[in-house]
Amino acid sequence: MRKVLFILAAGLLMAMRLHAQINLGVKAGYNLTEISLSKSMLERAISDKNGFFIGPTLKFSLPIVGWGIEMAALYDQREGQIKETGETLKQKTFQVPINVRVGIGLAEVATLFAFAGPQFGFSIGDKEKKLRFGDWTLKESYVSANIGGGILLVNHLQMTVNYNFALGRTAEYEYTIDNIVHSARAKTNGWQIALAYYF
């Protein structure tokens, strides 16, 4: 039974690969970063700040009408600012989003679509920062998820909006109050607006 299932799955994958339409493009966009901390007294201690991302992207149109997969390899920069001290927290990562998308075509002019999927992040900048009241440490890697929608115009120009949210901690903040060391887990989430062009 396992062999039969394996052969069926392999055959389906080969058929999908043979019939899939693959488009290469470039993608860039804007991050509105939200950094939240696990300690309630610090929840709004960090202000939201702007950032950006850029890199190549691939779009696979599957043989199932309206369905596809989009992948990218993005340099991503996000920032937050500690309100009390004005210190900036900067997060530089390499991000790999893999989104499943489903769309409805409007003649040959445009396609409206929704998408969702996991995103894998890898820290490539400074992972530790000394702050006035403690230490900020980024994780080496983490997983987040995307949910959003967009429009593809004449099969080339694409605009999307999505929310990206961490599925676990992305950093840790160790700080001292009254000579006692405390620790707070941090999550980096954010709204993203992107523009892509497929060749």
Side-chain angles (χ1 to χ4, degrees):
M1 185 66 178
R2 284 185 188 174
K3 287 182 179 179
V4 173
L5 290 173
F6 177 79
I7 291 168
L8 285 172
L12 179 61
L13 285 172
M14 281 193 74
M16 288 172 69
R17 286 183 66 184
L18 288 172
H19 290 91
Q21 181 183 350
I22 302 172
N23 299 98
L24 174 65
V26 63
K27 185 176 189 176
Y30 163 83
N31 286 321
L32 178 60
T33 306
E34 305 168 351
I35 299 176
S36 59
L37 294 166
S38 59
K39 302 291 185 179
S40 60
M41 64 186 216
L42 297 173
E43 274 180 0
R44 298 308 304 160
I46 300 177
S47 300
D48 300 342
K49 289 203 73 177
N50 304 329
F52 69 93
F53 53 91
I54 188 168
T57 181
L58 278 175
K59 179 167 64 73
F60 302 83
S61 299
L62 300 178
I64 306 167
V65 176
W67 287 83
I69 297 172
E70 184 177 359
M71 303 171 61
L74 305 171
Y75 170 77
D76 186 292
Q77 185 170 301
R78 306 185 188 194
E79 293 184 8
Q81 187 175 61
I82 299 175
K83 290 182 178 179
E84 189 173 351
T85 64
E87 294 169 291
T88 298
L89 302 171
K90 190 172 286 189
Q91 181 176 309
K92 297 177 182 178
T93 58
F94 175 70
Q95 297 285 341
V96 182
I98 305 173
N99 295 312
V100 176
R101 49 193 279 167
V102 58
I104 300 172
L106 306 174
E108 303 238 342
V109 179
T111 301
L112 294 173
F113 61 92
F115 63 90
Q119 182 164 301
F120 305 92
F122 307 90
S123 295
I124 56 176
D126 294 333
K127 297 173 184 64
E128 295 183 8
K129 183 178 176 71
K130 289 280 185 186
L131 302 172
R132 182 176 168 187
F133 296 118
D135 298 315
W136 183 263
T137 306
L138 292 171
K139 283 192 71 179
E140 293 278 345
S141 61
Y142 65 92
V143 180
S144 60
N146 295 309
I147 184 165
I151 184 168
L152 177 66
L153 301 171
V154 293
N155 290 321
H156 290 291
L157 186 62
Q158 177 177 288
M159 292 170 282
T160 57
V161 177
N162 70 278
Y163 189 68
N164 173 254
F165 55 97
L167 299 178
R169 67 182 175 89
T170 56
E172 190 141 347
Y173 181 37
E174 287 193 353
Y175 57 98
T176 303
I177 298 177
D178 297 328
N179 294 320
I180 299 173
V181 177
H182 301 265
S183 180
R185 294 182 304 278
K187 286 187 176 183
T188 304
N189 306 320
W191 286 99
Q192 298 181 310
I193 301 171
L195 191 65
Y197 185 84
Y198 288 99
F199 304 101

